[in-house]
Amino acid sequence: EIVLTQSPATLSLSPGEGVALSCRASQSVGSYLAWYQQKPGQAPRLLIYDASNRATGIPARFSGSGSGTDFTLTISSLEPEDFAVYYCQQRNNWPLTFGGGTKVEIK
Amino acid sequence: EVQLLESGGGLVQPGGSLRLSCAASGFTFSSYSMSWVRQAPGEGLEWVSIISAGVISTFYADSVKGRFTISRDNSKNTVYLQMNSLRAEDTATYYCAKGAVSATRHFDNWGQGTLVTVSS
């Protein structure tokens, strides 16, 4: 099973700041990594698929990069609605796996 | 607009069974893989199972293999999750998720979830 490690677990930031979230895989997943955003009481929302492709309707301030075992989700300037938990997920190997999440909270 | 509506959750005793349903609309259901993903209270996301479009194939997380069965009825635009031999650790919100257009094992639309509680 591929283990995805997200760091840090929590980030405290202010609106307007930029942030880079990390997701590291225990073995290569190629480019087959997605990022999701989840707000309290809501279902997850797909942000990025296959490492760097923005999903439909996702603002340009969200971008993804990386391949192999190291991936990054970058939010260029945090909007108030961006404070949430972010998960990565790989689709290269069975079983499909998620990272443990990074919570981005308001400082 | 894509809509996924889960139902069938509730309280069940350990060892019991439940069948979850997910009614889909707003897209050509038969053309997309469908998955179930769960989230225990206060915890992260865990993929549970997937069923392909077209020639049917299914895959399961090790934690549910042999106990859960995923199926679909394309005539009803519905995917199901039959859960048997339920355990306390199966307690979670269960989400139905649609395979992404260009990446079928990523999930581009999610339902709002249905809560399953396994407790005596």
Side-chain angles (χ1 to χ4, degrees):
Chain A
E1 171 175 322
I2 293 179
V3 176
L4 299 178
T5 302
Q6 293 189 242
S7 60
T10 305
L11 277 170
S12 297
L13 298 164
S14 300
E17 288 192 271
V19 63
L21 308 184
S22 172
C23 177
R24 181 161 292 177
S26 59
Q27 63 189 82
S28 177
V29 299
S31 294
Y32 298 131
L33 190 106
W35 290 92
Y36 301 85
Q37 176 194 69
Q38 187 179 32
K39 298 178 183 179
Q42 295 186 18
R45 177 174 71 145
L46 178 66
L47 301 175
I48 302 289
Y49 65 92
D50 288 350
S52 60
N53 299 285
R54 265 191 306 277
T56 302
I58 301 304
R61 63 181 182 274
F62 292 92
S63 63
S65 62
S67 65
T69 60
D70 289 294
F71 299 86
T72 302
L73 174 69
T74 301
I75 310 173
S76 58
S77 177
L78 284 163
E79 297 288 339
E81 61 268 28
D82 298 337
F83 291 90
V85 180
Y86 293 84
Y87 294 96
C88 56
Q89 178 245 327
Q90 65 82 23
R91 70 178 185 100
N92 190 59
N93 285 69
W94 300 108
L96 307 182
T97 51
F98 288 88
T102 292
K103 181 179 182 180
V104 178
E105 64 179 21
I106 298 177
K107 189 173 183 180
Chain B
E1 178 192 4
V2 172
Q3 291 195 336
L4 300 170
L5 183 61
E6 301 97 337
S7 61
L11 175 64
V12 61
Q13 291 189 338
S17 298
L18 276 179
R19 188 177 82 153
L20 306 183
S21 301
C22 172
S25 61
F27 64 102
T28 305
F29 178 75
S30 59
S31 296
Y32 291 92
S33 67
M34 298 296 296
S35 282
W36 290 93
V37 177
R38 68 184 181 183
Q39 187 169 36
E43 301 295 324
L45 300 170
E46 179 187 17
W47 171 77
V48 172
S49 183
I50 190 170
I51 186 166
S52 63
V55 176
I56 295 299
S57 59
T58 59
F59 293 88
Y60 299 90
D62 286 346
S63 58
V64 306
K65 201 173 294 182
R67 301 187 299 123
F68 290 12
T69 303
I70 191 171
S71 60
R72 66 191 297 161
D73 185 338
N74 290 338
S75 69
K76 295 183 179 179
N77 287 356
T78 300
V79 60
Y80 305 96
L81 187 67
Q82 177 66 44
M83 305 187 297
N84 298 331
S85 303
L86 283 161
R87 306 166 180 166
E89 54 265 35
D90 296 319
T91 294
T93 295
Y94 285 73
Y95 294 102
C96 166
K98 170 186 165 290
V101 173
S102 303
T104 58
R105 296 189 297 275
H106 293 325
F107 316 118
D108 64 359
N109 285 275
W110 298 62
Q112 281 306 299
T114 187
L115 179 62
V116 172
T117 303
V118 184
S119 176
S120 55

